[in-house]
Short mmCIF file of all heavy atoms in Angstrom, two decimals:
data_model
loop_
_atom_site.label_atom_id
_atom_site.label_comp_id
_atom_site.label_asym_id
_atom_site.label_seq_id
_atom_site.Cartn_x
_atom_site.Cartn_y
_atom_site.Cartn_z
N GLY A 737 -21.64 6.62 12.70
CA GLY A 737 -20.88 7.11 11.56
C GLY A 737 -20.20 8.42 11.88
O GLY A 737 -19.87 8.71 13.03
N ALA A 738 -20.02 9.24 10.85
CA ALA A 738 -19.38 10.54 11.06
C ALA A 738 -20.30 11.46 11.86
O ALA A 738 -19.86 12.19 12.74
CB ALA A 738 -19.01 11.18 9.74
N LEU A 739 -21.61 11.40 11.55
CA LEU A 739 -22.63 12.14 12.29
C LEU A 739 -24.03 11.76 11.87
O LEU A 739 -24.99 12.09 12.56
CB LEU A 739 -22.47 13.66 12.12
CG LEU A 739 -22.97 14.29 10.82
CD1 LEU A 739 -23.22 15.77 11.04
CD2 LEU A 739 -22.06 14.05 9.65
N ALA A 740 -24.18 11.03 10.74
CA ALA A 740 -25.51 10.78 10.18
C ALA A 740 -25.76 9.31 9.89
O ALA A 740 -26.50 8.96 8.98
CB ALA A 740 -25.69 11.60 8.90
N THR A 741 -25.15 8.42 10.64
CA THR A 741 -25.22 6.97 10.50
C THR A 741 -24.72 6.55 9.11
O THR A 741 -23.74 7.11 8.62
CB THR A 741 -26.64 6.42 10.79
OG1 THR A 741 -27.56 6.82 9.79
CG2 THR A 741 -27.13 6.85 12.15
N THR A 742 -25.39 5.60 8.49
CA THR A 742 -24.91 5.03 7.24
C THR A 742 -26.07 4.45 6.45
O THR A 742 -27.12 4.14 7.03
CB THR A 742 -23.87 3.92 7.52
OG1 THR A 742 -23.48 3.30 6.28
CG2 THR A 742 -24.45 2.84 8.42
N GLY A 743 -25.88 4.29 5.15
CA GLY A 743 -26.90 3.67 4.32
C GLY A 743 -26.83 2.16 4.33
O GLY A 743 -27.73 1.49 3.80
N PHE A 744 -25.77 1.60 4.92
CA PHE A 744 -25.67 0.14 5.02
C PHE A 744 -26.60 -0.37 6.11
O PHE A 744 -26.84 0.31 7.12
CB PHE A 744 -24.23 -0.26 5.35
CG PHE A 744 -23.25 -0.03 4.23
CD1 PHE A 744 -22.46 1.12 4.22
CD2 PHE A 744 -23.11 -0.96 3.20
CE1 PHE A 744 -21.55 1.34 3.19
CE2 PHE A 744 -22.20 -0.73 2.18
CZ PHE A 744 -21.42 0.41 2.17
N PRO A 745 -27.11 -1.59 5.96
CA PRO A 745 -28.06 -2.14 6.93
C PRO A 745 -27.36 -2.70 8.17
O PRO A 745 -27.43 -3.90 8.47
CB PRO A 745 -28.75 -3.26 6.13
CG PRO A 745 -27.70 -3.75 5.19
CD PRO A 745 -26.92 -2.52 4.80
N ILE A 746 -26.70 -1.84 8.92
CA ILE A 746 -25.97 -2.29 10.10
C ILE A 746 -26.93 -2.59 11.24
O ILE A 746 -28.10 -2.20 11.20
CB ILE A 746 -24.94 -1.23 10.54
CG1 ILE A 746 -25.63 0.07 10.96
CG2 ILE A 746 -23.90 -0.98 9.46
CD1 ILE A 746 -24.71 1.07 11.62
N ASN A 747 -26.41 -3.26 12.26
CA ASN A 747 -27.19 -3.56 13.46
C ASN A 747 -26.44 -3.00 14.66
O ASN A 747 -25.53 -3.63 15.20
CB ASN A 747 -27.37 -5.07 13.61
CG ASN A 747 -28.29 -5.44 14.77
OD1 ASN A 747 -28.52 -4.64 15.68
ND2 ASN A 747 -28.81 -6.66 14.76
N ARG A 748 -26.82 -1.80 15.10
CA ARG A 748 -26.12 -1.14 16.20
C ARG A 748 -26.30 -1.90 17.52
O ARG A 748 -25.41 -1.90 18.36
CB ARG A 748 -26.62 0.29 16.36
CG ARG A 748 -26.30 1.22 15.19
CD ARG A 748 -26.69 2.65 15.51
NE ARG A 748 -25.87 3.19 16.60
CZ ARG A 748 -26.16 4.30 17.28
NH1 ARG A 748 -27.28 4.98 16.99
NH2 ARG A 748 -25.37 4.73 18.24
N PHE A 749 -27.46 -2.51 17.68
CA PHE A 749 -27.70 -3.25 18.92
C PHE A 749 -26.78 -4.47 19.03
O PHE A 749 -26.37 -4.85 20.13
CB PHE A 749 -29.17 -3.69 19.00
CG PHE A 749 -30.12 -2.55 19.17
CD1 PHE A 749 -30.88 -2.09 18.09
CD2 PHE A 749 -30.26 -1.92 20.40
CE1 PHE A 749 -31.75 -1.03 18.25
CE2 PHE A 749 -31.15 -0.86 20.56
CZ PHE A 749 -31.89 -0.41 19.48
N ARG A 750 -26.45 -5.06 17.88
CA ARG A 750 -25.58 -6.23 17.90
C ARG A 750 -24.17 -5.86 18.35
O ARG A 750 -23.58 -6.56 19.18
CB ARG A 750 -25.54 -6.88 16.52
CG ARG A 750 -24.60 -8.08 16.38
CD ARG A 750 -24.93 -9.17 17.35
NE ARG A 750 -24.17 -10.38 17.07
CZ ARG A 750 -23.90 -11.33 17.95
NH1 ARG A 750 -24.34 -11.21 19.19
NH2 ARG A 750 -23.21 -12.40 17.61
N THR A 751 -23.61 -4.78 17.84
CA THR A 751 -22.26 -4.40 18.27
C THR A 751 -22.26 -3.97 19.74
O THR A 751 -21.31 -4.26 20.48
CB THR A 751 -21.69 -3.27 17.40
OG1 THR A 751 -22.65 -2.21 17.28
CG2 THR A 751 -21.33 -3.78 16.01
N ALA A 752 -23.34 -3.32 20.16
CA ALA A 752 -23.44 -2.96 21.58
C ALA A 752 -23.45 -4.21 22.45
O ALA A 752 -22.78 -4.27 23.49
CB ALA A 752 -24.69 -2.12 21.82
N GLU A 753 -24.19 -5.22 22.02
CA GLU A 753 -24.26 -6.47 22.77
C GLU A 753 -22.90 -7.15 22.81
O GLU A 753 -22.44 -7.59 23.88
CB GLU A 753 -25.28 -7.39 22.10
CG GLU A 753 -25.36 -8.78 22.75
CD GLU A 753 -26.12 -9.78 21.89
OE1 GLU A 753 -26.24 -9.56 20.67
OE2 GLU A 753 -26.57 -10.79 22.45
N LEU A 754 -22.24 -7.25 21.66
CA LEU A 754 -20.94 -7.91 21.60
C LEU A 754 -19.91 -7.23 22.49
O LEU A 754 -19.05 -7.90 23.08
CB LEU A 754 -20.43 -7.94 20.16
CG LEU A 754 -21.13 -8.90 19.19
CD1 LEU A 754 -20.69 -8.63 17.75
CD2 LEU A 754 -20.82 -10.35 19.57
#
Side-chain angles (χ1 to χ4, degrees):
L739 78 158
T741 69
T742 176
F744 290 97
I746 63 170
N747 185 341
R748 294 187 66 194
F749 292 103
R750 177 58 171 157
T751 49
E753 175 194 21
L754 287 170

